[in-house]
Amino acid sequence: MDTEGTYDARGTGAERVPRPAGPPPAAPPPPTYAPQPRRPAADGPGVEEWLRTPRPVREPGVWRYGHVPRPPEKPEGVSDRSLLVGVLISVLSGLLLWSLWRNGYIPYRLVPLKLFTPGDWWYAGTFGGPRTIEGADALTVYEAVLFGLLVYGCGRLGNWSEIFRRHVAGRGQPFLGLATAAGGALAELLVWKDAVPLVRPVLILVASVAGGEIYQSQTVVNVIYALIALGVLWPFARLGRWRELAAARRGRAAAAVPDAPAGPPDAPTPEQWPELREAGMRDAAEALTAEVRTGRMNDVDVARLRHAWSVGRGHPERLAALTEAVLRTGGAAALHPSGARDLARRTVRHDLLTGQVRIGSCTDDPHNPYARRGSGVALEPALLGTSLLAVGPPGAGKSARLVRPVVESLALQALAGRAAVLAVGAGGELGPDDAFDVVVRIGDPASVHDFDLYGGTTDPDEAAGVLAEGLVGDVTHLDSRRAATVLAQLLGPYRAVHGHFPGVPALRELLDGDTAAIDALREALGAGGHQSMLRELEARTRQKGGAGDPGPVLADRIALLDRPAFAPFFATGDQARPFSLRSLEHLPLRVRIDLPERAHAEASRLLTRLVLAQFTAVTAARTDRSLFVCLVLDDATHTVTAETVRGIRRLRSVNAGALLTLRTVDDVPEGLHTALLGAVGCCMAFSGVTTWDGKRFAEVWGKEWVETREVAQHAVFADQPFTRALHGLRKLVTGKAVTRDAVTVRRVERERWSASELAYQVPPGHAVLSVTTVEGEHAPPLLVTLDG
C-alpha cells in the first residue's frame, strides 16, 4: 500500500498483521487512483458545505457541528391569560372613562383648562362650558390631550407592550409587518371618522400658529392632511419595521437575478486549504480544492490529509512525500494501510474535524441546565481519554446506542490516521467484518488470526505479570504478584530452551507439576548451560504444594483454555499466527475480538481480563503517544481487578482510554466500586438501574446548591364586622377560608441525581451522562435521549 511515508509499517491488510517478531511482509503495489463519489458528511451536506459549517467551542460533550446556542432564559412573566384579561379590562375601563368624560359625568373636568385660559372664554360657574370660539377650540385641544393621556395610561396598566412583543413581534416577519399594517389602517379609519380626536386639534393648533388664512389654499390643506396621515402611520411603521421588511424583500429579489460570478475572496475558505497556502504549498492546495469541489473527496479524506499535514510539518522528508502524493493522487494520498477511504455503512452522525460522534440530545428536563436543553450530546477522544463506565440492565441500549457508535467513530478516525481501536465482545454486535482490519474469532476454526496470550513481549517477568492478572486477577484471596512469580519461574526457563513461551497445553503441564515435563525442561536447561533459569525452575519445584501456593489455581484457570474448541488458538512458535496488542502501538488499526460467551462464558471472562491487562500494559509502555488508542469492552463483567483499575487511571496520561459496560456495578468486586468510579472520568447510567447502583452514581456526582420556595397558607382573621362579613360571604361562595400565602426562599444543597430518581425517573431509551475532559474540565450529569 502507498502510504507516502505517513506510516512506517506495512502489511496491515486483511490477510496479515504486523507482529513484533519476524520481518515484515513485502509491500503490495500502490492502489490505482480512481475518483470516488462524494460521501455526504453528517447526514446531508456535501463536503464543501460540511467544511464551512461553524463548530463553536462549547462545554464538554456538546455536539459542536452547526451548534446554535440557546437564547437566554427569560424570567417567568405574566401568563397569556392574565395579559389578555388585563388588556380587556384596561380597554373597557378607558371606554367607560371616556364616555363619562364626553357626557359630562366627571365633576370639575374643566377646572384645569380654565386656570390657564382667559376667563371671558367661559361661562361662569364650575360646570360652565365654552362661551366663545376660542374656548371651544381650547376645549377641543384639551380633550385631545386628555384622550392621549388616557390611551397611554390604559396601555401601561393593561401591559399592551408585553402582549405586542409576545404575540406579534415574537412571531417575526412577515406577520409583524402585516399586523402593524392592519393596525395602521384601523387607526387611519378611526382618525378620519373623528372617533379619535386628532384631525380637528391639529387644524386648530396650525391655525393658532400660522393664522386661519392658511386654509384658503387647498394645496396647504392637502399637505396638512397628508402629514396627519403619515404621522398616524409612522409609529406603526416603526413597530412593524417596514423599512427592514422592504429591504429584505428587495434583497431576495436581487438574489433571484443571476449575477456574474464573483472573484475569489481575499481570505481562503476552509475548502481551499488555507493552512497549505500559508505554508507555500499552493499547488497541493489547488489540487485538493479541486478534489473537494468536484466531489472526489469525502470527510475521511479531509481529516486524514489534515492529520498527515500536521504530522508532516515536523518532518520535511514526510512533507515532501505527502506533497508529491497529493499532486499525483489527489484525495487518495496518505491512505490508511488497509487502503480503505470510508466505511461501507454508517449508522450515526460523525464529525471527523472535531472527532465527535453524536449519541443523543439533552432533554428538556429540570435536571439539565437551561443552556444545554435541546443541544446535541457527543463523545470524542478528549472525553474517552478519561475512560467511560456505562451501567445498565440488559436491553437498555448499551451496545446499540453507545458501544457501536463509539466503535464506528474510532474506526473512522483510524482511517484518518488519528486513532486505533480494539473492540471486544460477542460476534457481530460491534460492527461488520469489513469495518475492521483484524478480526480475531476465538474458538472459530475459520479465524485468520490467533490471540497472543503473552501480549507480544519477550520479557518473562512482564509476560508473567500480565498473564497472572488475566488468570487469577479476580481471585480475592490470591495475591496476583505471587502468581506472577510462579509463572515467571516457568516461562523464563521454557523460553530459554525453546526460544518462545509455552503454549496452553505445555503451560498447563508445567503448572500441574507434571514430572516428565519438569524433568525434560530441567535436562534441557542443564544441557544448554542456563544455570540461572535452572535455579528458577528448582525454586518452583521446592515451592510446589506449599501453603498458599497459587500453582493449582493457575492450573485450573489455564485449563479453561485447554479445550478442544481452542486447540488451534494460543499457539506459540514459528508456525503460530497470533495477533499481538503491540501492533496498536504505532499503527491506526481497527481490531475486533469475538469471544465465545455462550459456549465458554468463564473462558471469555478470563480472556477479557487478559485483554484489559495487556492493553493497560502496552499503552503505558508506548514511546510514541501521538496516536489515540481506545479499548471497548462490550461486557466487562468480572473483568475489573485492582491492578487494571490502576492501569485505567493511568490511561489519560498516555493518550489512551477505555469504554467499559456493566449490567450492574455489583459485577465488580465490592472493594473496587469506589476505586473504579473514581478512576473513570465519564459515567453513564442507563434507564433501569437499581437503587443500589443509583446510590453509587449519586455519590460520584455529588451535590449542588439549589433555590427552593416554600409556600405556607395562613388563615386571615378579620377584626372589623364588615370585613368578617365579606370573609364569610367568600367562604360561603368558594367553600374555602380566606388565607394568605407566606413564601420562604432558601438555598439548600441537594443531590444532582438521587438514587430513586435514577432508578425510577429515567425513561426508556434515556441515560444520565457526566463527562470529563483529559484537561480536567467537567460537565454536570445530563439526562440524554439516545438516538445512536
Side-chain angles (χ1 to χ4, degrees), residues 395-483:
K398 301 187 299 296
S399 298
R401 302 185 179 188
L402 174 65
V403 173
R404 185 158 182 171
V406 169
V407 171
E408 186 176 292
S409 173
L410 293 172
L412 287 172
Q413 295 185 53
L415 292 179
R418 300 187 304 194
V421 57
L422 173 61
V424 182
E429 295 185 0
L430 302 179
D433 292 353
D434 57 6
F436 297 91
D437 304 311
V438 176
V439 178
V440 182
R441 297 184 179 90
I442 298 179
D444 186 354
S447 177
V448 178
H449 302 282
D450 302 339
F451 181 72
D452 189 355
L453 292 178
Y454 305 100
T457 183
T458 58
D459 184 0
D461 293 326
E462 182 181 354
V466 174
L467 185 58
E469 193 64 32
L471 293 177
V472 296
D474 61 328
V475 181
T476 56
H477 66 275
L478 183 62
D479 188 358
S480 60
R481 291 175 295 182
R482 293 192 60 187

Side-chain angles (χ1 to χ4, degrees), residues 664-690:
T664 174
V665 181
D666 290 330
D667 289 338
V668 176
E670 185 176 358
L672 297 178
H673 290 175
T674 302
L676 176 61
L677 291 172
V680 297
C682 306
C683 296
M684 197 169 186
F686 283 75
S687 61
V689 298
T690 63

